Amino acid sequence: MSDSKQIPDAMERRLALDPDQSFIVQAPAGSGKTELLIQRYLQLLARVDAPEEIVAITFTRKAAAEMLERILSALEAGKASIPAFHNTHEKLTHELAQAVLRHDERLGWFITDNPVRLRIQTIDSLCASLTRQMPMLSKFGSQLETTEDASELYFEAARVTIEMVESNDAVAQDIEQILQHLDNDIARIEILLAEMLARRDHWLRHVHGKTRDELEAALENIRHD
């Protein structure tokens, strides 16, 4: 066992495991953010009465599956008494996993045999589970489904938006302007709108709640710069 590879920000990482405080962790790819999240998850898991009390949320199913796999791997590794560690970070993960296993044994979770009790899911999955619990309040009327590729839905939304040009809605004037600007090229407008929807995380936060005057002033400033 070697502690020679000490992580420079080890103290900050330990502070981020304090379950009585909230943290935002910002770091480049490959710096160990996921490992830190796993350690915090294990820290919490050793304190609660039921594993369902902890929710870890990601954006993709792939990320959720990876995190679940790494937590289960940590718990399996925690069953070994004296494994070889490459650094103190790995040693800490092992100690936290062992604490979870002792807690698991006391409460009879058998979590490694029942991994479905670990609530590691996408934000879409979490929202769907909430609507299932409140069908009347959600007003959806049917079971929600999530999809990895929503491109066809984006195009459908674009087509519906363009069709609003025939309505009396205020947005009809905006659609007319787009049609005039792009020479009534509806196919191109559909593509542009669908691409915007696919990248809405890049721009939505900048326009939500803003007036048209504010947005145009911002664009004018960008052009000026």
Side-chain angles (χ1 to χ4, degrees):
M1 179 171 62
S2 172
D3 292 344
S4 59
K5 295 176 65 176
Q6 176 69 42
I7 297 176
D9 60 349
M11 183 176 295
E12 287 77 10
R13 292 174 186 249
R14 288 301 294 262
L15 288 174
L17 299 181
D18 184 355
D20 296 322
Q21 298 187 61
S22 298
F23 295 91
I24 295 176
V25 178
Q26 295 177 312
S31 57
K33 296 188 297 296
T34 302
E35 181 68 20
L36 183 61
L37 181 59
I38 288 170
Q39 289 181 341
R40 186 173 172 89
Y41 191 96
L42 293 171
Q43 179 86 299
L44 291 167
L45 201 57
R47 287 176 164 230
V48 296
D49 296 326
E52 292 85 357
E53 294 179 34
I54 311 167
V55 180
I57 302 173
T58 71
F59 284 101
T60 66
R61 295 176 182 175
K62 180 180 178 181
E66 178 189 355
M67 186 175 174
L68 176 60
E69 180 181 357
R70 290 179 64 172
I71 287 176
L72 292 175
S73 295
L75 292 174
E76 287 296 332
K79 297 177 182 179
S81 55
I82 312 177
F85 302 116
H86 293 93
N87 52 52
T88 54
H89 200 53
E90 291 183 1
K91 180 181 179 183
L92 176 58
T93 300
H94 184 261
E95 292 173 349
L96 292 171
Q98 287 189 320
V100 172
L101 291 171
R102 291 192 295 269
H103 194 59
D104 174 284
E105 186 176 0
R106 284 195 298 270
L107 298 180
W109 292 346
F110 304 106
I111 202 65
T112 54
D113 296 325
N114 299 282
V116 293
R117 298 193 64 183
L118 298 176
R119 295 188 63 188
I120 302 170
Q121 55 195 138
T122 64
I123 190 168
D124 292 333
S125 177
L126 174 65
C127 292
S129 68
L130 292 175
T131 59
R132 283 195 295 270
Q133 295 174 44
M134 300 177 289
M136 298 299 292
L137 288 176
S138 67
K139 299 181 181 180
F140 279 108
S142 62
Q143 189 60 260
L144 292 179
E145 295 182 1
T146 58
T147 179
E148 291 292 320
D149 182 8
S151 55
E152 185 56 39
L153 297 176
Y154 297 147
F155 275 98
E156 182 180 347
R159 287 190 289 270
V160 171
T161 301
I162 295 170
E163 289 171 2
M164 292 178 69
V165 71
E166 302 291 343
S167 69
N168 294 323
D169 196 283
V171 77
Q173 295 181 359
D174 296 327
I175 301 301
E176 287 181 4
Q177 288 188 17
I178 295 174
L179 289 168
Q180 292 173 7
H181 182 68
L182 296 177
D183 297 325
N184 292 321
D185 190 342
I186 294 178
R188 186 183 176 199
I189 295 172
E190 285 184 1
I191 292 173
L192 291 173
L193 290 175
E195 289 178 346
M196 282 185 64
L197 287 173
R199 296 180 176 87
R200 64 193 181 281
D201 56 315
H202 293 177
W203 55 264
L204 188 59
R205 63 182 181 276
H206 298 297
V207 303
H208 184 68
K210 303 283 179 56
T211 65
R212 188 184 187 94
D213 289 340
E214 289 174 323
L215 294 174
E216 290 185 349
L219 287 174
E220 187 64 32
N221 290 334
I222 292 172
R223 290 176 59 191
H224 177 74
D225 292 340

